[in-house]
Amino acid sequence: MREFDDVDVDAEALMKFRVERDALAEAVAWTAKSLPNRPSVPVLAGVLLRVTDGSLQVSGFDYEVSSQVTVEVQGDADGAALVSGRLLAEITKALPAKPVDIAAVGAHLELVCGSARFTLPTMPVEDYPTLPEMPASAGTIDAAAFAAAVAQVAVAASRDETLPMMTGVRVELSGGNLAMLATDRYRLALREMEWNPDDPEISLNALVPARTLNDTAKTLGPLGGQVVLALSQGAAGEGMIGFSGGTRRTTSRLLDGANYPPVRSLFPASHNAEARVPVSTLIEVVKRVALVAERATPVLLSFSADGLVVEAGGTEEARASEAMEATFTGEPLTIGFNPQYLIDGLSNLGTQFAVLHFVDAFKPAVISPAGEDGELIGGYRYLIMPIRVSR
C-alpha cells in the first residue's frame, strides 16, 4: 500500500495537510450538523476545507446558516477542497485514533489514517457561496450561562414550520439585561440574565431560529470563556446574528419578528394557589403515570394540604395514579397538563425544587425554580397552558 507521502501531490495539488483525528472529527461533525437535508443545489451539501499557513478552516453554508471552525494542522500545501459534509463526518467519526493525512488532487480527496484509506469525489470550490462576514459585535456573555439559558427557552419553541415566527427565540437586548422568550402557543419560556453589552444604551430585539440557537449554544457552552454576540439589523427578515467562541463562529439569518405577539402579558399578575415540589420526584412520577395516557391525554395534578396526586387514564381499562409529597397553599385544585410539556419545563429548571403558581384550573400555570426553602430563584419562568378535563 502506498504511504501518504507517495500520493501524487504535484503542482496540480489543491491541498495537503496532517491533522489529529479528534480535532478533525469534531470540526467536521459540528459544521456538517447545520447542512441542509435537501440542498437546493448539490454544493450546499458540502463542507469547505481550506488550509492557509498551518490552519484548517472547515466551513458550511446554506444561505441561512453559516458555520466555521479553525483547526491547527501540519500544512504541506495550501489550498481548498469541497466534499460531502455528512459523508466526511461519518468517515472521520469512524477513523482509528491516529493522525489523519489529507490531500486534494484533481477531482478527488485522499484521506489516510493508519491503514485506512478513503478516496472521495470533490465538488467545484468556485461554485460554493462566499460565507457572510460576522456582523458587528454587540457584546459578550458567559458561554456556560448562555448555553444553559438557551436550553431553558428553546424547548418551548414550535417545530411547526408553517408558522415560522413561532419557531424562533426572541432575543431582547436592553442595556445590561438580555432576555430570551419562546412559545409554541401551548407553553411560554422566559429567561432573563445579565450580559456585557458594547453599548450600555443598547436596545434591540431579534428573532433567532431556535434550532440554530440551541445547536450553537450547546457547542460553545462547553468551551468556556465568553461568547461574542454579533448583530446586524436589516429589513424585515433580512437581519443577521452571529456567535463566536474559541475557534468557532456561526451566523444565522433572523426571522421576521415584526409581528411577534406581546407574550409577556400572558404571565398572570397574581396567583391564588402555590405549590412547592421536588423536581426529580415529580418528573419520575409524571413519566410513570403517563405510560397509560393516550396521545393528547393529559395528566391530572390534584393538589391539597395532604400533598399531590398525579393521575392519568387511557382506555377504560388503563389508569394510573401516584401520590407524592408537596407543600401547597390555597384551595384544593385539580389541573391537567400535557405530560411532555410539563416534563420539559421541569427538566430545565436546574434546581432541586420548583414552585408552581396557579390562578385556577383553567388559566395558565407558571413554573419557577426555587430553593429548598421555597424562595424563588429569579431569571426563569415557564408558563404552561392547562388542558380542560371533565371528571
Side-chain angles (χ1 to χ4, degrees):
M1 179 179 290
R2 294 182 301 167
E3 295 298 323
F4 177 73
D5 288 337
D6 295 330
V7 173
D8 298 327
V9 180
D10 53 21
E12 299 286 329
L14 301 176
M15 179 178 64
K16 182 181 179 185
F17 64 91
R18 170 170 286 190
V19 62
E20 291 301 315
R21 193 285 303 263
D22 288 349
L24 177 66
E26 288 178 9
V28 174
W30 180 66
T31 305
K33 190 173 183 179
S34 62
L35 297 178
N37 291 320
R38 298 180 183 86
S40 55
V41 290
V43 293
L44 298 184
V47 292
L48 181 64
L49 308 177
R50 186 180 297 277
V51 174
T52 308
D53 298 329
S55 289
L56 167 68
Q57 283 188 337
V58 183
S59 308
F61 183 40
D62 67 354
Y63 291 112
E64 298 288 335
V65 178
S66 77
S67 302
Q68 188 175 84
V69 58
T70 302
V71 179
E72 294 302 311
V73 299
Q74 179 184 323
D76 292 329
D78 290 355
L82 182 65
V83 295
S84 168
R86 299 195 188 282
L87 178 57
L88 185 61
E90 291 295 325
I91 291 171
T92 54
K93 182 174 67 174
L95 292 174
K98 295 181 180 180
V100 183
D101 294 304
I102 293 179
V105 184
H108 291 87
L109 188 79
E110 295 272 354
L111 185 152
V112 178
C113 182
S115 60
R117 176 183 293 270
F118 294 85
T119 301
L120 307 178
T122 58
M123 294 175 279
V125 172
E126 60 271 18
D127 291 349
Y128 199 70
T130 302
L131 267 68
E133 296 291 330
M134 279 285 284
S137 170
T140 60
I141 190 167
D142 179 78
F146 174 66
V150 170
Q152 288 179 316
V153 174
V155 69
S158 175
R159 276 73 166 170
D160 184 359
E161 297 293 340
T162 63
L163 296 170
M165 188 164 54
M166 296 291 103
T167 65
V169 172
R170 180 176 166 91
V171 178
E172 300 177 347
L173 307 176
S174 178
N177 185 66
L178 183 152
M180 290 184 282
L181 305 98
T183 181
D184 60 4
R185 300 178 299 168
Y186 304 105
R187 64 259 181 86
L188 163 65
L190 167 64
R191 179 71 161 90
E192 295 179 292
M193 60 194 303
E194 294 181 351
W195 76 307
N196 307 303
D198 293 341
D199 176 8
E201 303 299 319
I202 191 171
S203 179
L204 287 174
N205 300 323
L207 189 60
V208 188
R211 179 183 171 187
T212 300
L213 182 63
N214 200 30
D215 288 346
T216 300
K218 280 182 181 178
T219 301
L220 298 181
L223 300 179
Q226 297 286 307
V227 170
V228 175
L229 191 157
L231 193 63
S232 66
Q233 297 280 44
E238 293 182 4
M240 181 175 292
I241 195 166
F243 304 93
S244 64
T247 60
R248 304 186 181 196
R249 50 151 278 193
T250 188
T251 66
S252 173
R253 285 185 60 178
L254 298 176
L255 297 169
D256 182 1
N259 297 315
Y260 198 80
V263 292
R264 283 177 181 261
S265 62
L266 294 175
F267 286 103
S270 60
H271 60 273
N272 298 321
E274 176 182 301
R276 181 173 64 87
V277 296
V279 172
S280 60
T281 303
L282 180 53
I283 290 174
E284 290 171 4
V285 170
V286 171
K287 284 181 177 179
R288 276 194 294 270
V289 171
L291 291 174
V292 301
E294 296 176 338
R295 184 176 176 84
T297 301
V299 291
L300 302 181
L301 278 64
S302 297
F303 292 94
S304 68
D306 296 327
L308 167 62
V309 176
V310 182
E311 303 171 82
T315 63
E316 293 182 2
E317 301 300 325
R319 300 197 63 82
S321 68
E322 186 169 344
M324 59 173 283
E325 291 186 1
T327 303
F328 182 73
T329 56
E331 292 296 317
L333 174 77
T334 296
I335 188 167
F337 295 120
N338 176 301
Q340 190 56 55
Y341 292 173
L342 180 58
I343 290 169
D344 287 344
L346 294 167
S347 299
N348 285 287
L349 293 177
T351 54
Q352 281 187 281
F353 292 90
V355 167
L356 289 78
H357 287 136
F358 309 98
V359 176
D360 58 42
F362 309 109
K363 290 187 173 62
V366 178
I367 305 174
S368 304
E372 191 170 354
D373 57 358
E375 191 74 22
L376 295 184
I377 298 174
Y380 182 57
R381 288 183 290 169
Y382 182 89
L383 178 146
I384 179 170
M385 302 294 290
I387 299 176
R388 289 176 177 256
V389 292
S390 56
R391 304 196 67 186

